[in-house]
Amino acid sequence: AQAELKNFVGKATLTADGKEVELFCNIGTPKDAKKAIECDGEGIGLFRSEFLFMDKPHLPTEDEQFEAYKEAVETMSGKTVIIRTLDIGGDKEIPYMNLEKEENPFLGYRAVRYCLANTDIYKTQLRGILRASAFGTVKIMVPLVTCVDEIRAVKALVEECKMELTNEGISFDPSIQVGCMIETAAASLIADMLAKEADFFSIGTNDLTQYTMSVDRGNAKVAYLYSAFQPAVLRSIKNIIAAANEAGIPVGMCGEAAADPLMIPLLISFGLDEYSVNPVLVLTARAIISKWSKADADALAEKVLSLSTEKEIVELLKASAK
Ligand code: PEP
Ligand code: MG
């Protein structure tokens, strides 16, 4: 199998009937960008920025953030780098931020909610990202969006930062795109509305599964419910992709499901444009994508969507695997 994978090095990612999709990588540090290149990733679909806030005892400065983003952007030499803004809270704690303990941290004060309440901290990050955008192809991605107001507020802050940088004579990409992670049930239900505001979507199945199934993603006792193959989650994914396709904006997936060989035919059928995976899974994902035509994927997806239990769905997908 390793030998077969070698054939996919340096190739475009194509379905069996020749449709090209993008195969990007998820990374957590600028150094990981090198890994993405070594593994033949075509871009970065999710650059988790939390590391910058976790690996020191204080908030990172604008310059520190700029340098880190620029390092990743330069490593990718022109290939897309999607930087996700600070996604703290929930399972991602940052000690010096002194966030109060909450009864329901996953439903609380976190991610874009925290950033919009602390615009000084958020603007420092947005300025760092904007400055890095002068060195390649950078996109901004907003985590945990639940309503249109949030993406509008972020876009307004991005505009504010752009004005400041212009006045200071500092370069940035003036047409930088701002996209939404779709990882909450609310965002999925209003995907058509969000698609009018966002330049792109990226589906975060790790959280989308948690918030759709009402299952804490880290709780072993209810882990049996935590599956992206639950009919509720699959319907949600299908609707999100359809909304993006209809609005004419690109839609990717950066949750773990994007690399799952059983999920890939469904994503081909639904019309996903970009798959973002752990670097080590790039070639496997490219190989699996190459085995499925739209027609075969559609036939399988239709059967899958008619099934009402996760068990039957997974069994059918396993039996149909190529
Ligand atoms: C997700 O929720 O699917 C995701 C990609 O983000 P994270 O795992 O960092 O929450
Ligand atoms: Mg998430």
Side-chain angles (χ1 to χ4, degrees):
Q2 268 331 95
E4 194 219 351
L5 286 184
K6 281 223 173 85
N7 298 329
F8 289 93
V9 175
K11 300 281 163 57
T13 304
L14 301 170
T15 60
D17 51 338
K19 184 191 175 213
E20 185 163 358
V21 295
E22 288 176 309
L23 184 49
F24 287 0
C25 292
N26 296 345
I27 62 170
T29 69
K31 299 263 171 301
D32 294 345
K34 290 196 185 65
K35 194 146 188 222
I37 292 289
E38 280 159 23
C39 294
D40 212 29
E42 300 162 20
I44 302 299
L46 166 63
F47 182 179
R48 292 184 166 100
S49 62
E50 292 75 56
F51 82 96
L52 272 166
F53 292 78
M54 288 166 126
D55 76 347
K56 45 174 82 66
H58 56 83
L59 282 170
T61 64
E62 178 183 315
D63 279 341
E64 285 169 340
Q65 295 193 56
F66 164 60
E67 291 299 337
Y69 305 141
K70 177 165 159 268
E71 184 184 338
V73 170
E74 288 189 325
T75 302
M76 297 309 292
S77 51
K79 295 188 165 85
T80 300
V81 178
I82 302 179
I83 302 174
R84 180 179 69 189
T85 61
L86 185 58
D87 189 18
I88 43 151
D91 56 343
K92 303 172 187 108
E93 268 188 70
I94 298 181
Y96 61 84
M97 282 184 153
N98 297 324
L99 289 172
E100 275 170 47
K101 278 261 168 281
E102 298 182 346
E103 269 186 48
N104 294 297
F106 278 113
L107 304 183
Y109 186 53
R110 53 168 303 202
V112 70
R113 302 167 182 185
Y114 176 88
C115 290
L116 289 174
N118 295 273
T119 48
D120 47 343
I121 294 175
Y122 203 32
K123 280 179 69 180
T124 302
Q125 179 171 41
L126 293 173
R127 283 175 56 107
I129 297 173
L130 279 163
R131 286 171 59 191
S133 73
F135 297 84
T137 309
V138 174
K139 300 184 186 187
I140 297 171
M141 180 158 81
V142 189
L144 207 83
V145 169
T146 53
C147 56
V148 160
D149 315 66
E150 289 166 336
I151 187 77
R152 284 188 186 154
V154 173
K155 277 165 55 184
L157 286 177
V158 170
E159 288 309 312
E160 245 178 77
C161 294
K162 283 186 188 175
M163 294 246 268
E164 292 173 10
L165 292 171
T166 304
N167 292 337
E168 294 161 33
I170 300 174
S171 5
F172 60 90
D173 170 9
S175 53
I176 192 165
Q177 294 194 359
V178 181
C180 250
M181 282 197 73
I182 306 292
E183 56 179 347
T184 64
S188 172
L189 287 165
I190 58 160
D192 57 332
M193 297 173 185
L194 290 169
K196 295 198 178 94
E197 310 284 334
D199 295 314
F200 64 92
F201 281 171
S202 185
I203 305 173
T205 48
N206 308 339
D207 278 313
L208 186 66
T209 303
Q210 153 165 278
Y211 291 121
T212 302
M213 296 302 297
S214 302
V215 164
D216 179 338
R217 65 195 256 186
N219 184 335
K221 286 208 179 101
V222 287
Y224 69 97
L225 286 169
Y226 185 82
S227 166
F229 296 102
Q230 282 284 352
V233 183
L234 290 179
R235 279 192 187 176
S236 178
I237 293 170
K238 180 175 192 272
N239 292 340
I240 296 162
I241 297 173
N245 287 343
E246 201 148 305
I249 62 165
V251 51
M253 178 176 287
C254 58
E256 307 295 329
D260 190 325
L262 299 185
M263 186 63 82
I264 285 174
L266 301 178
L267 300 176
I268 291 174
S269 170
F270 299 160
L272 194 76
D273 301 304
E274 176 244 297
Y275 298 66
S276 192
V277 308
N278 184 319
V280 300
L281 296 175
V282 165
L283 293 182
T284 332
R286 188 173 290 147
I288 307 263
I289 290 169
S290 79
K291 294 182 199 288
W292 288 93
S293 68
K294 178 80 163 64
D296 287 353
D298 281 348
L300 178 57
E302 195 185 326
K303 282 190 215 148
V304 162
L305 292 170
S306 74
L307 299 173
S308 50
T309 70
E310 194 256 1
K311 188 164 176 280
E312 291 170 295
I313 290 171
V314 171
E315 273 168 12
L316 174 61
L317 289 170
K318 281 188 177 155
S320 315
K322 302 203 185 208

